[in-house]
Amino acid sequence: MKALTSETLASVNELIATVNHRRILTVKHVFIGGYGPGIVTLGGELTRVAAPSFLAAHPTLPVLYAVGELERGWLTAFTAGERLEPLDERPSEGDSPCHVAVDPGGSLLAVANYGDGTALLCHLDARGAFTGEPIVLRHEGSGPVPERQEGSHAHQAVFHDDVLHVSDLGTDEIRRYRYDGTPLEPIRMHAGSGPRHYAFAGSRLYVAGELDGTVTLIEGERRTVVPASRESGPNFPSHLQVEGDLVYVGNRGPDTVSVLRAADLSFVAEIPALGEWPRHFAIDGDRMYVADQRSNVVTVFELKDGIPEPTGQVHEVESPACVLIM
């Protein structure tokens, strides 16, 4: 048997390294952001970073982005492999960033700064790092709920149909911008609703109203508004997500997850979140991961015919606020 040459050994080692790297990237990880000591991977890995209250994944690269929800807001990019490795960082250009998103093409990143309503557009390079001069989108206005709507409060940034949409809880509108920062006519919500998270599905737009506890379906000129929860007492809806023909909404106050029909927002089910203050959730196949912020747990449910049912899996995480699966 011939001995392997150094060139052949190098090629074999390179092939093994490539295969192992691809294997690492194809294994799904559940990352939890929040107000604890950093980003937690379910399984125990901790990456220390200040107030990573929301996370987002690059659509094609193994890169994770985290906001730092501080008065002087911050953004950090990590390369995601066996562990998170710092890639880049920059200011969010606003106060208390609470949401981050990447466009489907992977060339733009947007941030919503809750504290002062500023939104930010950043260009990304081929590595997923920040590049060039950012576009800062400032806004003014107020609403009829003085203790929450004294000024602009950007809450979520979503790329849809080549337009950046930014929900503004303080001004009861979903602001709209071209990718060069040119403002477009906003989508105006009913007064005092406080739009928080929202989702597009085809021609339909679904919006959770944090201040009046509603879900609104907008389709053309038609609007349907329903309570997010059937429970009595105050409700401050958090995250909203559309999966197939169902809409899921987290309810803070009653501490439940509601399931509505996407066609008309008719009621399907409402289940206990099994924790206090369900701030965010993520769905992966037949699993739902709910971040119960005030209970310091992430609770796992199984979706059976679309209805969440407890699995008995509960993960302790300090002050969880976001779940990201990548």
Side-chain angles (χ1 to χ4, degrees):
M1 180 177 178
K2 285 187 176 181
L4 294 176
T5 65
S6 59
E7 291 81 3
T8 303
L9 282 171
S11 298
V12 170
N13 288 335
E14 183 178 353
L15 177 61
I16 291 172
T18 300
V19 170
N20 286 337
H21 182 62
R22 288 177 178 170
R23 184 180 295 122
I24 289 169
L25 297 184
T26 56
V27 174
K28 285 189 176 180
H29 295 283
V30 181
F31 296 98
I32 311 298
Y35 299 99
I39 302 169
V40 176
T41 305
L42 290 192
E45 187 76 24
L46 170 66
T47 302
R48 293 192 177 274
V49 60
S53 65
F54 207 86
L55 313 174
H58 193 283
T60 59
L61 298 171
V63 177
L64 178 151
Y65 301 92
V67 302
E69 193 173 329
L70 309 167
E71 185 175 355
R72 182 176 181 268
W74 205 252
L75 291 168
T76 308
F78 297 91
T79 300
E82 290 184 327
R83 59 183 57 84
L84 296 180
E85 301 289 348
L87 172 65
D88 200 2
E89 60 181 10
R90 61 152 294 116
S92 74
E93 306 296 340
D95 178 357
S96 302
C98 63
H99 192 271
V100 58
V102 184
D103 83 296
S107 62
L108 283 173
L109 175 142
V111 180
N113 290 284
Y114 179 84
D116 58 6
T118 299
L120 182 73
L121 268 172
C122 288
H123 291 279
L124 302 175
D125 65 18
R127 302 175 302 141
F130 309 118
T131 186
E133 286 297 313
I135 300 172
V136 181
L137 305 168
R138 305 193 188 280
H139 194 60
E140 295 181 351
S142 60
V145 184
E147 64 271 20
R148 295 293 308 276
Q149 295 186 309
E150 80 295 342
S152 174
H153 294 298
H155 223 311
Q156 186 183 27
V158 172
F159 293 97
H160 178 70
D161 284 349
D162 297 326
V163 172
L164 172 65
H165 297 73
V166 179
S167 58
D168 198 317
L169 180 144
T171 63
D172 291 322
E173 59 190 352
I174 297 177
R175 296 148 51 183
R176 301 168 67 243
Y177 302 91
R178 292 196 178 97
Y179 285 1
D180 63 0
T182 302
L184 302 171
E185 186 68 20
I187 300 169
R188 303 188 191 282
M189 305 303 298
H190 55 276
S193 59
R196 182 184 171 96
H197 282 197
Y198 57 99
F200 291 92
S203 62
R204 297 169 177 165
L205 170 61
Y206 303 86
V207 185
E210 177 176 340
L211 300 186
D212 68 354
T214 62
V215 176
T216 299
L217 163 59
I218 302 173
E219 187 171 18
E221 298 300 315
R222 179 172 69 96
R223 294 198 177 198
T224 303
V225 183
V226 303
S229 170
R230 287 193 167 188
E231 300 292 322
S232 61
N235 178 29
F236 305 93
S238 55
H239 185 55
L240 178 149
Q241 187 167 329
V242 182
E243 288 288 322
D245 61 355
L246 297 174
V247 178
Y248 298 89
V249 189
N251 298 304
R252 296 172 299 174
D255 296 333
T256 62
V257 175
S258 294
V259 186
L260 309 172
R261 297 203 184 281
D264 57 5
L265 296 185
S266 58
F267 178 81
V268 176
E270 185 170 359
I271 59 97
L274 302 181
E276 186 179 356
W277 218 244
R279 176 159 178 146
H280 190 258
F281 58 83
I283 295 173
D284 182 40
D286 65 351
R287 289 290 186 272
M288 171 184 278
Y289 299 80
V290 179
D292 294 311
Q293 182 182 350
R294 295 182 179 175
S295 296
N296 299 311
V297 295
V298 173
T299 307
V300 185
F301 294 83
E302 181 180 4
L303 297 180
K304 292 187 177 180
D305 296 323
I307 310 302
E309 295 188 4
T311 63
Q313 298 178 48
V314 179
H315 303 271
E316 293 187 6
V317 181
E318 183 178 345
S319 195
C322 176
V323 183
L324 175 66
I325 301 170
M326 65 179 293

